[in-house]
Amino acid sequence: MQRYFIELTKQQIEEAPTFSITGEEVHHIVNVMRMNEGDQIICCSQDGFEAKCELQSVSKDKVSCLVIEWTNENRELPIKVYIASGLPKGDKLEWIIQKGTELGAHAFIPFQAARSVVKLDDKKAKKKRERWTKIAKEAAEQSYRNEVPRVMDVHSFQQLLQRMQDFDKCVVAYEESSKQGEISAFSAIVSSLPKGSSLLIVFGPEGGLTEAEVERLTEQDGVTCGLGPRILRTETAPLYALSAISYQTELLRGDQ
């Protein structure tokens, strides 16, 4: 059944007999899926609830829906994982956002690292963020997520440091830790986090984080970790981490 994310909370939806879908979603319902009155869709509210809905009326600029039933499906990771990626070259961040969304990331924080080749002014950063947000939304629909991960504004490194206290735990993926054979810290941290906790994971761009950046991150209580014995590319490491978290918190623990 086709899935759509709507900009209403569950409470707002329940306040009226029907609710309306507008914007780009209408084009998809009417012109792509060619749906009519009586057809059913899945709607996900802003606060992560999922409902089976029936189309009550369909026009070119608005679709009215009636909730048939709220489901109890929850496809979000038990912990909220924030992926902070030093801006990489090309379309690598698009790949990270698309696949990271499929793997359960809660949000993405692109930041300007010392070794980031890409430099974005405000205008380019705004345009990029719009595209990244669209990619996250489409990936969330495809993977049956309850929520669309938030793609935040491009941060400076200083802004990233200032945000670190907002999270329950911060991990710094550092290739030197892998080279030195460190393999247990990441697993231990993930295992220690209770359901609903927030975890920030910081990844460098091509070339990795500088020693100075790692030092400043650890001064803010970031913990350096290796991600296995191999050195991973900047676009591979976040996906490895998310997969490991899913295994440890969903498959191994059996959390739903």
Side-chain angles (χ1 to χ4, degrees):
M1 194 174 295
Q2 191 65 36
R3 170 177 299 256
Y4 297 97
F5 290 93
I6 58 176
E7 296 182 359
L8 296 170
T9 64
K10 182 180 181 182
Q11 181 178 346
Q12 289 172 324
I13 292 171
E14 291 180 328
E15 286 175 351
T18 62
F19 65 94
S20 297
I21 298 176
T22 57
E24 291 183 2
E25 306 290 20
V26 175
H27 168 75
H28 191 270
I29 291 170
V30 176
N31 300 316
V32 178
M33 300 304 296
R34 298 190 178 278
M35 292 184 178
N36 298 299
E37 294 176 11
D39 288 337
Q40 294 184 357
I41 59 175
I42 296 292
C43 290
C44 295
S45 66
Q46 260 187 340
D47 44 355
F49 293 95
E50 177 184 295
K52 183 186 293 185
C53 302
E54 183 178 284
L55 305 188
Q56 298 295 291
S57 65
V58 178
S59 67
K60 65 178 182 180
D61 55 6
K62 185 173 71 173
V63 173
S64 294
C65 300
L66 173 70
V67 173
I68 298 174
E69 64 174 341
W70 291 96
T71 73
N72 294 317
E73 296 289 345
N74 180 14
R75 300 179 182 86
E76 300 304 306
L77 284 175
I79 59 177
K80 296 178 180 180
V81 183
Y82 293 72
I83 301 295
S85 293
L87 285 174
K89 294 184 289 186
D91 60 359
K92 292 177 182 177
L93 190 57
E94 294 183 5
W95 171 268
I96 292 169
I97 290 170
Q98 183 188 64
K99 302 308 175 187
T101 296
E102 293 177 23
L103 290 167
H106 183 73
F108 299 92
I109 309 174
F111 71 94
Q112 195 76 52
R115 290 175 175 155
S116 290
V117 175
V118 176
K119 309 293 181 184
L120 298 177
D121 58 29
D122 290 344
K123 184 177 180 180
K124 288 182 179 179
K126 181 181 178 182
K127 189 173 181 180
K128 282 283 190 181
R129 187 189 178 200
E130 289 173 354
R131 174 163 173 75
W132 294 333
T133 298
K134 183 178 180 181
I135 288 171
K137 182 173 180 291
E138 291 174 349
E141 289 173 346
Q142 182 274 323
S143 56
Y144 276 43
R145 292 281 301 270
N146 292 80
E147 301 175 4
V148 178
R150 182 183 174 193
V151 181
M152 300 186 187
D153 290 328
V154 176
H155 284 41
S156 67
F157 184 69
Q158 184 60 37
Q159 288 173 323
L160 179 65
L161 290 174
Q162 292 170 351
R163 294 206 59 158
M164 287 181 64
Q165 301 307 314
D166 296 340
F167 306 98
D168 294 312
K169 204 71 177 179
C170 175
V171 165
V172 181
Y174 190 38
E175 64 182 49
E176 292 303 320
S177 295
S178 293
K179 290 177 181 178
Q180 294 166 15
E182 191 288 305
I183 58 173
S184 61
F186 184 70
S187 177
I189 288 171
V190 173
S191 297
S192 71
L193 290 173
K195 191 172 183 178
S197 299
S198 58
L199 172 65
L200 173 69
I201 314 179
V202 182
F203 301 90
E206 298 89 349
L209 297 165
T210 65
E211 290 185 12
E213 286 173 325
V214 172
E215 183 177 349
R216 295 186 69 188
L217 288 165
T218 54
E219 286 173 355
Q220 297 296 322
D221 298 326
V223 179
T224 57
C225 294
L227 297 177
R230 292 163 292 280
I231 304 303
L232 305 176
R233 292 177 182 269
T234 185
E235 68 270 30
T236 308
L239 309 186
Y240 176 99
L242 286 164
S243 298
I245 291 170
S246 174
Y247 174 76
Q248 193 152 339
T249 63
E250 295 179 312
L251 301 183
L252 200 59
R253 289 186 194 173
D255 288 349
Q256 299 296 325

